[in-house]
Every structure is written in C-alpha cells, then in structure tokens.
Amino acid sequence: MTAHMKKKIFIAAMAMATLPMAAQETYENAKIAAEDLNGTARYVGMGGAMEALGADISTISTNPAGIGLFRKSAASVSFGLVSQQDATNFDDGHATNMSFDQVGFVYAGRSGRSSFVNFGFNYHKSRNFDMLLSAADRLSNASQNKLTYAKAKNGLLYSVDENGEPIGERAMITCNQLDDIYSRNLNYDDQDNTWYYFPATGYMFDRAHKGYIGEYDFNMSGNINDRVYLGLTVGLHDVNYRHYSEYVETMEPNNFGISTMLVGDERRIDGSGYDVKLGAIFRPVEASPFRIGVSVATPTWYDLTTSNSTYVTDGQTTVDNGEAYDFKIYTPWKFGFSLGHTVGNYLAIGASYEYADYGSIDTRVITGEHYDWWYDSYYTSSESDDETNRHTNQTLKGVSTLKLGLEYKPMPEMAVRFGYNYVSPMYQENGFKDGTLNSFGSYYSSATDYTNWKATNRLTCGLGYNIGNWNMDVAYQYSATKGDFSPFMSYEDNEWAEDDNLANVVEVKNNRHQLLFTLGYRF
C-alpha cells in the first residue's frame, strides 16, 4: 500500500451505482418521525394537556375536536427563541436560534342555538431540528476503518479496480459509502490482495443539525348541543433537514505517517407527507364541564429525497463521494385519550395520554415511476424494505406521552399556567446502527455513529393577559433528554480477540430552553 491514501478521486462503486432502488436507515428515519411540544404559548405553557379542554388552535393537530369548542372566530401567531444548554457553536450551527412556531385562524359559524360548525387552518413547527451534538472518548485497538476491515474479513464487501470490476472472490452483501472509500483507498492493498486496518487511540465528534418539519393543518369541526364535539384534520408536512458532522480519529503510530483521520459528512433530507386525524370530545354529564377526549391519527405518508457529500482525509490526501435518492417512510398510527375539567371561569385542569409504536415505522423503497394519463402526472410505486423494517422493529419501540396541565386565573384578564410532559424512550437500550444489513439504507449510509436517546422530561409555565379582543401569552419550556452515543457499531471476533473493534458508550445530552410568545385576536 502507498505511504498515504491512494491518490485517486472516488468514483462510485459499481455495486452502488447500479442499485435501482433506495431507502433510508432506522436512525435517520427516527429523526423524521419524532415530534416536539410546540404551538401557541397557552398550549405549551400547559404542557400540551389541552386535548379534552379544547378551544386552542394547537389542538387542531392532536385532537381535532378541540376546534369545535371555539365560540368566536380567532387568529394567532407565535414565535420565540430556542437555546440548547451547555452547547458550543459548530460550523454554522448555533446554540441559540430564533424560531417562527405557529400561525393560524379559526372561523366559528353558528349552526343552531347551541351548535357550531367551525373551520380552521394552522401552521406549526412540529419538529425543530436545531441541535448541536458533541462526543469524545478513547479507543483501544479500534477505529472506524477497522469496522470496514471486519466486514471484509467476514465476506461482507469487496473492493473494485478502476474499471469497477470486483477484486478477489468475495461476494458483496453490504457496502456503505465509507466502506467503499476505506476499502479502495486505505484498507485494501490490491498488489498483495491483503486487507489492513489502522487502529486509533481516540476520537472527537461534532455535528450541527438544522432545519424543521412544518405542519399545515386544515380542520372542520363542530358540536352537537354543546355535549358532543367532533373534528377532522388533514395535515400536510414539509420536511427540511440538514446536518454537517466531523469525526476525527487520532491514529496509533504507523509506518505510513497517518496521524489523524477526518470524516466530514453533510446530509440533507427534503420532502413532504400527509396524514388524517380524527377526534371527539364528550361531556358525559350535562350539568358538568368535565370532558373526555379521544383521538386517532393515521401514519404520515412521506415522500422524501436525501442527498449527502462525504469526504475522508488524512491531512494530505482527500477522497470523497456522494449520493442522492428518493425513498418513502410511513410513520406509526397514533392514539390519544384525554380528560379535562374547568371550575367556574378561573381554573382549568387537563391530562392527556398518547401512544405510538415507532417500531412499526415502514421504510419503503421506490420500485418505479409511472405516468397517469388521466391526471397528466407521474407517481411512484414502492414496497417495504423488509430488512430495514426488521431492524427498526428491533431498535425502536412504542412511545407513551403523558401531558399534565393547569391554568389558573387570579383575575378575569390574567392567567397563570403550569405543565409537565413525559415522553418514554423511543430506542431500545441495546439498539445499534447495523452496518451489515442487506438493505438499500445500509448501502447509502455515510455515517457510522448513532445515539440511543432516553426519556424526555419537559417542564413548562406561562402567563396570559387579555385586553379586549386581544390576548398576549408567553410560555417557557425546559426539555431534558439524555442519550448513549456510539461512534460505530461494536464488533467482537469469535476467533481472534485482536480483531475485536469495540467503542465505549458516551453519555450525551440535549437540554433545551424555549421562550415562546403568542399574539391572538378574537372576533
């Protein structure tokens, strides 16, 4: 092998360039499927526990029947700041960012003496991707490129020559973009047909996540004799995700003068999806304001495009590659149950529970594009990526979300709010990004790191003030989540202990502060 990485610019491997289909992998999909607590300041200040109380435009996406409790038309807009605690700016990612979070209106139309038919539209940022992630640790006889070596040793990949022809007799099963770079420029010597690896003594990792998912909800709702409230919402989702990361390994002394290895990875995911949500609220006792709410949301059916640009450098020579492809994911069904009660016009109490099985996310590969003569448009067909879906089922699990909220009015024009939000872990404790899957998501992967995030706890509070038809609200939210970070999947060799490639789990945190303002008007 040459003294440094072979001096040739990467050309996509034949096995990857000829793939007719593509799909994303579990950990990237989980980012798209998850949601934040966001909306109006009143909704956030009460921890989101308003699915049975209703009469807040943010319930349009959680229990559509809540819009049926409006007695007057209303409009509102929300914006604020989101700041990540103990985070250091990296690349163009910043610890504190402005955020435009919500805008919408409800038209309330009376259809009877005590019945209404309401229509509503609302935009809100259901997912704010802005986050900085950093981790560092020691390594002992381990490295990212050694994982490529382990795959080669077990017959899971091959190298190719400059004509794209396989070198050796190994049958290709899995080969991601980093495997291809390493095997053709570092790990494999085509002169003596031998695989090598370069162990590291430690690593440093930094990533800046940016972007959002914007949700546009259209609602029709109403009530029957002020006892039964029903609602239907159709949601359109707009995905804009970006990240850039740098993974740097300090190499053990070697005969080739390689002291560090840096992997830079830039990825974006864009696309859209839609879902349908149904909800109902009941007042079981006519003389009591106590309410029970139920809701169900279909999967969000996403059509997405992802692209990446990845490079590896030893400080003297740089090789790179990139890929872009379309894929689909269908998120899980979501079910909700809620309770709400008011005392006079000065106290409101709410509690909500939601459940979604994220292990059932359906990752799908595009099988073809078809032309519809009737509508003069193109559409794509797809099928489930069974290998990735099995991995998702083993890695992710059902998530329970508990919301509790209280609003107290010491005077008619002022409200004080408190809330608590608990989201159970989405990831299995022993989950990992499996780089040996025989799936298109593995083929096109450009990063080996993964984080198993644990439970999320959110504490919220807020204030509201009414002046005539205007209302001004402010809310504060503190969200805390811990996670277990790994730079790559660990590998244990059953025959040779020196070929083990193990990395310790490093604890990381995503603790965020949000300050949110809402200006509303009723007419």
Side-chain angles (χ1 to χ4, degrees):
M1 186 162 55
T2 57
H4 294 288
M5 302 174 73
K6 297 175 183 176
K7 299 179 183 295
K8 57 183 180 182
I9 300 300
F10 174 84
I11 301 175
M14 176 184 65
M16 298 174 67
T18 59
L19 288 176
M21 305 179 285
Q24 190 65 297
E25 60 88 27
T26 297
Y27 282 85
E28 293 291 344
N29 288 345
K31 297 175 185 177
I32 304 299
E35 294 183 351
D36 297 325
L37 172 62
N38 203 16
T40 66
R42 184 188 181 210
Y43 181 80
V44 172
M46 292 186 66
M50 299 193 67
E51 281 71 32
L53 291 170
D56 188 280
I57 197 167
S58 290
T59 62
I60 196 172
S61 62
T62 54
N63 186 346
I67 304 301
L69 277 86
F70 275 86
R71 293 294 171 267
K72 290 185 177 181
S73 299
S76 63
V77 61
S78 305
F79 56 92
L81 291 170
V82 178
S83 181
Q84 186 176 347
Q85 182 176 309
D86 301 324
T88 302
N89 295 347
F90 170 71
D91 192 56
D92 62 349
H94 302 280
T96 301
N97 298 280
M98 290 286 295
S99 180
F100 179 74
D101 297 289
Q102 178 271 329
V103 61
F105 69 90
V106 173
Y107 172 77
R110 185 181 295 274
S111 61
R113 193 166 121 185
S114 58
S115 299
F116 284 76
V117 176
N118 298 341
F119 298 90
F121 165 79
N122 189 54
Y123 162 84
H124 86 285
K125 187 179 290 184
S126 64
R127 191 84 165 98
N128 188 337
F129 290 118
D130 291 350
M131 186 185 74
L132 298 164
L133 180 63
S134 299
D137 198 17
R138 296 179 179 179
L139 293 172
S140 178
N141 192 34
S143 65
Q144 189 182 70
N145 76 84
K146 190 177 178 182
L147 184 59
T148 299
Y149 165 84
K151 291 182 183 180
K153 180 181 177 182
N154 288 275
L156 298 181
L157 54 86
Y158 62 68
S159 186
V160 297
D161 61 23
E162 294 182 355
N163 297 319
E165 296 297 328
I167 299 174
E169 298 179 354
R170 301 181 185 275
M172 197 285 288
I173 299 179
T174 56
C175 175
N176 64 33
Q177 295 186 37
L178 286 173
D179 289 332
D180 201 274
I181 289 179
Y182 282 137
S183 64
R184 300 208 301 148
N185 298 279
L186 183 70
N187 289 98
Y188 186 76
D189 191 334
D190 52 14
Q191 296 180 1
D192 59 10
N193 194 30
T194 303
W195 290 93
Y196 297 88
Y197 67 84
F198 292 79
T201 60
Y203 71 88
M204 294 179 61
F205 177 85
D206 290 284
R207 175 177 287 146
H209 305 79
K210 299 187 69 176
Y212 62 92
I213 297 179
E215 184 172 346
Y216 303 81
D217 287 317
F218 302 84
N219 174 273
M220 178 178 179
S221 58
N223 74 79
I224 303 172
N225 296 324
D226 208 24
R227 290 282 303 277
V228 178
Y229 309 84
L230 303 173
L232 166 69
T233 295
V234 176
L236 304 178
H237 302 251
D238 177 30
V239 178
N240 300 268
Y241 171 79
R242 312 284 184 268
H243 82 221
Y244 174 73
S245 65
E246 289 185 354
Y247 174 74
V248 183
E249 290 183 335
T250 302
M251 313 308 294
E252 291 185 3
N254 54 76
N255 296 329
F256 302 98
I258 301 176
S259 58
T260 61
M261 193 72 67
L262 183 150
V263 179
D265 180 59
E266 184 175 3
R267 180 169 291 276
R268 59 184 296 164
I269 304 173
D270 298 280
S272 60
Y274 65 95
D275 66 1
V276 178
K277 297 168 276 268
L278 296 169
I281 298 173
F282 309 91
R283 282 200 305 116
V285 180
E286 183 175 6
S288 172
F290 176 73
R291 296 162 229 174
I292 300 173
V294 293
S295 61
V296 60
T298 68
T300 302
W301 295 287
Y302 280 117
D303 285 276
L304 302 170
T305 298
T306 185
S307 60
N308 79 286
S309 175
T310 304
Y311 68 93
V312 179
T313 181
D314 64 356
Q316 299 187 36
T317 303
T318 300
V319 290
D320 58 19
N321 67 8
E323 190 61 72
Y325 58 88
D326 300 328
F327 67 103
K328 297 175 183 281
I329 59 171
Y330 298 165
T331 66
W333 287 81
K334 183 180 294 184
F335 304 92
F337 177 78
S338 53
L339 303 174
H341 187 62
T342 58
V343 178
N345 59 359
Y346 63 89
L347 180 66
I349 303 171
S352 302
Y353 173 80
E354 295 176 352
Y355 179 81
D357 180 12
Y358 287 90
S360 66
I361 291 176
D362 184 13
T363 303
R364 304 181 67 83
V365 297
I366 305 298
T367 57
E369 185 177 64
H370 310 278
Y371 178 69
D372 189 318
W373 292 93
W374 183 263
Y375 291 101
D376 189 27
S377 62
Y378 288 90
Y379 66 94
T380 58
S381 57
S382 65
E383 63 182 27
S384 295
D385 184 342
D386 293 335
E387 187 79 3
T388 296
N389 288 342
R390 278 193 292 270
H391 177 258
T392 299
N393 186 257
Q394 296 168 357
T395 306
L396 306 181
K397 57 184 177 179
V399 172
S400 296
T401 301
L402 175 65
K403 306 175 185 179
L404 302 174
L406 178 148
E407 178 182 71
Y408 173 68
K409 291 185 175 182
M411 56 185 71
E413 64 273 14
M414 176 178 287
V416 181
R417 304 170 183 122
F418 299 95
Y420 171 70
N421 210 249
Y422 172 80
V423 184
S424 67
M426 180 189 297
Y427 300 86
Q428 302 281 0
E429 289 186 8
N430 59 350
F432 64 95
K433 180 184 285 188
D434 191 344
T436 67
L437 294 179
N438 185 14
S439 75
F440 299 101
S442 289
Y443 297 152
Y444 288 110
S445 180
S446 57
T448 59
D449 68 279
Y450 60 94
T451 304
N452 291 329
W453 294 103
K454 300 179 181 179
T456 297
N457 287 275
R458 299 174 177 133
L459 296 174
T460 67
C461 60
L463 293 172
Y465 194 80
N466 294 330
I467 303 177
N469 291 335
W470 293 91
N471 65 277
M472 295 172 287
D473 300 278
V474 61
Y476 167 76
Q477 175 184 182
Y478 177 68
S479 174
T481 312
K482 295 181 179 179
D484 292 332
F485 173 88
S486 297
F488 45 76
M489 62 177 287
S490 291
Y491 167 77
E492 292 189 40
D493 193 288
N494 295 326
E495 297 181 3
W496 306 98
E498 61 268 26
D499 281 349
D500 290 352
N501 195 47
L502 308 177
N504 296 325
V505 169
V506 176
E507 183 180 87
V508 292
K509 297 179 181 180
N510 181 21
N511 297 341
R512 300 202 295 182
H513 305 269
Q514 180 186 20
L515 192 61
L516 184 65
F517 302 90
T518 295
L519 178 64
Y521 182 75
R522 291 179 179 266
F523 54 94

